[in-house]
Amino acid sequence: GGAAAVYGADAVSGVVNVILRENVDGLELSTRQAMSGRGDAYSYSYGAMFGGKVGDRGRITVGLSYNHEDPLSWSDRSFGTYNSFLPNPANGNSSDGIPDNLFYRDLRFRTSAYSGTFRIGTLPRMTYADGVLRELQNDSIYPLFGPPGDPTYGIGGEGNNPANISFFRQKYKSISALTHFSYELSDSISLESDLQFAQATAGLKYPGSATSMTSTVYHQAGRENPFIPAQVLSLMDQYGLTSLSVRRNDLLQSNWSQGRASTRTTYTGTLKLDGQFSDALSWQVFGQYGKFDNKDIFFGERILSRYAEAADAVLDPATGQPMCFSASARAAGCRPINLFGFNPNYSQETLDYFS
């Protein structure tokens, strides 16, 4: 994948590089198969070229190729972690001999988690996971960013991991077809024509939604929300809270994918006439038509306003089952969601409403 060109002057980012040889006789086939040393990141290509004479004065050459590359994400490699230089907490000033910045590996965003995260009073940031209310766990904490007692970065452990949505290589595929035709109309006039088509698609997909991974979007869970665990309700009562601001990331949903795909398509046609008036004087007529299409598709995005409506759950007095609080949202198909704990699967009706 990557930037490439079709016949140089028609260079288009994302189109495969195709060189069409002239004077080919017969059929030629080619293939390439490759993978990483770890048995993944598979890629392959197939090519075919056919050429021959057309009568006594003409020649035609046709080429086809297909290329495919599997994606490779950061999370597929142990070294594929989110790293950054951050200010050194021990640094005093620029002349104290202490490094101004340190390199931190495997950073996590503690302000959002796959099991949901929240703060109650002055307590540390907490989560409710696997039936247990506990403090969010990290190997260590980076203290300088974030409000007092609520640092943004953790190192290792829990919290949103950017490596889950980062890729060394996206999925890529391309197909191209070219035809070259030449014919001598007379001893002094020749005709040449080229038709070219190339299409390349690159994209990525990951399970669930990474929307609001690091932004400040919180969802309110009122005390009447039936999904709030009893342990959390007890703490809310101790601190006199009637609602709780919860933030979660649904990246690891097994039946929900988010991502994007970009497709670039190029069409080109050329026609050329060459001739000679004499040995010292020649002429040429040339025409070209080209078209480029670009299509970007984003799918599985979380519609935040609808997600908030699904998160605002109450008990249905008629059935005793959770429902969306908003009557208009219910009429539009809203299904309640649980902000607390790991939710490996949302129903298709739930996903249809907010994604």
Side-chain angles (χ1 to χ4, degrees):
V6 176
Y7 278 170
D10 297 325
V12 177
S13 176
V15 179
V16 293
N17 186 34
V18 179
I19 301 175
L20 185 60
R21 304 198 324 264
E22 298 183 16
N23 300 324
V24 175
D25 289 302
L27 176 65
E28 296 181 11
L29 301 175
S30 62
T31 184
R32 177 190 61 83
Q33 313 285 325
M35 67 174 64
S36 75
R38 304 188 185 190
D40 58 2
Y42 189 57
S43 65
Y44 55 88
S45 64
Y46 302 105
M49 185 172 289
F50 172 80
K53 292 183 177 181
V54 179
D56 296 330
R57 290 177 172 267
R59 176 170 288 277
I60 188 169
T61 306
V62 178
L64 300 170
S65 69
Y66 176 80
N67 297 274
H68 176 95
E69 295 179 352
D70 284 343
L72 182 66
S73 72
W74 286 15
S75 58
D76 292 328
R77 295 291 185 267
S78 60
F79 55 81
T81 56
Y82 177 65
N83 314 314
S84 181
F85 280 99
L86 297 175
N88 184 356
N91 181 45
N93 55 65
S94 59
S95 60
D96 59 8
I98 298 175
D100 293 343
N101 297 282
L102 294 177
F103 185 71
Y104 291 87
R105 288 179 54 86
D106 199 17
L107 293 171
R108 309 295 172 92
F109 290 97
R110 302 182 76 252
T111 50
S112 186
Y114 306 123
S115 54
T117 181
F118 48 88
R119 292 199 73 194
I120 297 178
T122 57
L123 296 176
R125 182 161 292 278
M126 308 188 78
T127 188
Y128 184 83
D130 300 323
V132 178
L133 175 64
R134 56 175 172 77
E135 184 178 347
L136 205 64
Q137 299 174 351
N138 296 96
D139 299 336
S140 60
I141 301 296
Y142 178 77
L144 294 189
F145 293 164
D150 189 24
T152 299
Y153 286 125
I155 301 172
E158 296 181 307
N160 277 329
N161 182 5
N164 289 324
I165 60 168
S166 301
F167 288 78
F168 295 113
R169 185 176 76 186
Q170 300 183 31
K171 183 177 181 180
Y172 176 84
K173 63 180 181 180
S174 64
I175 185 172
S176 59
L178 296 93
T179 300
H180 177 77
F181 174 74
S182 61
Y183 197 84
E184 295 181 355
L185 298 176
S186 68
D187 293 338
S188 61
I189 300 175
S190 63
L191 169 72
E192 290 190 19
S193 176
D194 291 281
L195 297 175
Q196 308 166 19
F197 168 83
Q199 184 176 81
T201 300
L204 54 84
K205 181 172 71 172
Y206 34 83
S209 170
T211 302
S212 305
M213 188 170 196
T214 59
S215 67
T216 57
V217 177
Y218 286 85
H219 301 288
Q220 297 299 313
R223 197 190 184 287
E224 67 281 0
N225 189 310
F227 293 117
I228 300 180
Q231 294 171 282
V232 179
L233 280 175
S234 178
L235 276 180
M236 290 175 63
D237 291 341
Q238 290 181 38
Y239 283 85
L241 300 178
T242 59
S243 65
L244 192 64
S245 296
V246 184
R247 190 159 169 228
R248 66 175 294 113
N249 186 290
D250 292 307
L251 184 61
L252 304 181
Q253 294 283 325
S254 61
N255 66 333
W256 177 19
S257 294
Q258 179 187 356
R260 65 179 183 268
S262 298
T263 301
R264 297 175 174 89
T265 307
T266 304
Y267 311 84
T268 305
T270 63
L271 184 66
K272 182 178 70 170
L273 283 171
D274 284 298
Q276 286 187 311
F277 292 113
S278 66
D279 292 339
L281 183 63
S282 63
W283 58 271
Q284 183 182 90
V285 177
F286 178 85
Q288 180 180 39
Y289 171 81
K291 180 181 179 182
F292 172 70
D293 290 331
N294 183 78
K295 180 187 293 184
D296 293 306
I297 298 176
F298 296 83
F299 58 88
E301 296 282 344
R302 186 195 300 176
I303 304 172
L304 292 178
S305 60
R306 290 197 162 197
Y307 190 90
E309 291 173 335
D312 187 13
V314 295
L315 278 180
D316 185 339
T319 65
Q321 298 298 314
M323 69 176 185
C324 299
F325 172 76
S326 168
S328 60
R330 294 198 302 270
C334 180
R335 299 290 188 275
I337 59 173
N338 185 358
L339 294 174
F340 300 88
F342 296 104
N343 296 306
N345 287 291
Y346 287 131
S347 69
Q348 190 58 53
E349 292 84 1
T350 302
L351 293 175
D352 289 343
Y353 182 70
F354 67 73
S355 70

